[in-house]
Amino acid sequence: MVKTILCYGDSNTYGYYPVNGERLPKSIRWTGRLQMLLGEDYTVIEEGCNGRTTVYKEPIDVWKCGLEYLKPCLNSHKPVDAVVMMLGTNDLKTMFHAGVREISEGAERLVQEIYDFAGQKQSFRPQVILVSPPEIGADICSSSFRDSFDETAIDRSKEFPKYYREVARRNGCVFLDAAKVVAPSKEDSLHLMPEEHAKLAEALYTCIKEKLPW
């Protein structure tokens, strides 16, 4: 039976190209590459949204809150066998004043929502691969995103693995530290270049094939 894998994330799941702000082609995005690696026995669903947070709401773009879109997303794609979730970078925005411990609590709330809601709607709980986001680059304050992130975001982003690993442990998720696999572009210190998408796809392919109980 074909397995469905939902990839729930932000602009680095959407495939934002740091050179020009456009979207990378499907064959270049890590989600598209993952589909090619896994083959016809899997369906990889791309659910990346620029600016998506875990639970925080921007004053104007409230629809970017990951928690609020999660239930309809799970329901529309069910049955979902696994969810790859990589969120938290946008929670580092200056406007939210959030520490990584608090951000990880938001990520944990989403994980529990996946288990509880999907478990009710499709009679089984999806597997979850929780990905701690890539680090923010050293030049973020001189990049095109300098109005959204201050220099504290650099050090805070390095704390993601510590807290996300614990969330994964407590909730029985597979954990992947993206910072060990990929690095942000020099162009904007935030988004992934094509070669990094390829690396992330390979790492997730290994997680799926080796760590999920299928």
Side-chain angles (χ1 to χ4, degrees), residues 196-211:
E196 304 304 295
H197 278 266
K199 293 175 186 176
L200 186 56
E202 291 279 357
L204 284 164
Y205 171 78
T206 299
C207 278
I208 291 166
K209 299 299 285 187
E210 294 184 358
K211 297 184 179 181

Side-chain angles (χ1 to χ4, degrees), residues 18-188:
V19 173
N20 58 19
E22 296 181 359
R23 192 179 194 185
L24 289 166
K26 185 178 180 69
S27 61
I28 301 299
R29 302 192 294 265
W30 69 259
T31 46
R33 288 178 178 270
L34 180 61
Q35 177 67 78
M36 289 186 286
L37 289 169
L38 289 170
E40 61 185 13
D41 290 334
Y42 295 81
T43 297
V44 176
I45 298 173
E46 301 177 303
E47 278 288 356
C49 175
N50 296 338
R52 179 175 283 152
T53 63
T54 57
V55 299
Y56 295 97
K57 295 181 182 180
E58 293 194 17
I60 298 175
D61 295 332
V62 294
W63 50 270
K64 292 182 178 180
C65 174
L67 180 63
E68 294 202 350
Y69 183 64
L70 184 58
K71 282 184 177 180
C73 182
L74 290 167
N75 196 57
S76 63
H77 293 301
K78 68 177 188 283
V80 174
D81 296 285
V83 178
V84 177
M85 191 179 83
M86 186 171 72
L87 285 172
T89 298
N90 290 301
D91 301 42
L92 294 172
K93 287 180 177 179
T94 309
M95 71 171 74
F96 297 128
H97 307 287
V100 178
R101 180 188 295 275
E102 289 75 27
I103 295 170
S104 73
E105 290 171 354
E108 185 164 26
R109 187 174 175 189
L110 266 69
V111 168
Q112 292 171 348
E113 195 79 79
I114 292 168
Y115 286 149
D116 295 343
F117 182 77
Q120 294 171 11
K121 294 297 181 180
Q122 60 184 44
S123 77
F124 67 92
R125 300 196 327 175
Q127 302 292 319
V128 175
I129 298 177
L130 180 62
V131 184
S132 62
E135 293 179 3
I136 288 181
D139 296 325
I140 189 68
C141 292
S142 59
S143 80
S144 56
F145 292 93
R146 60 186 174 274
D147 292 337
S148 297
F149 299 89
D150 63 24
E151 62 182 7
T152 69
I154 301 169
D155 287 335
R156 282 184 291 147
S157 71
K158 296 176 182 179
E159 298 179 8
F160 275 129
K162 172 184 175 182
Y163 291 104
Y164 276 48
R165 184 179 287 107
E166 280 302 301
V167 171
R169 182 191 60 79
R170 285 195 298 269
N171 293 276
C173 308
V174 172
F175 173 73
L176 177 66
D177 179 0
K180 288 187 175 180
V181 180
V182 299
S185 68
K186 293 181 180 179
E187 281 73 11
D188 68 7

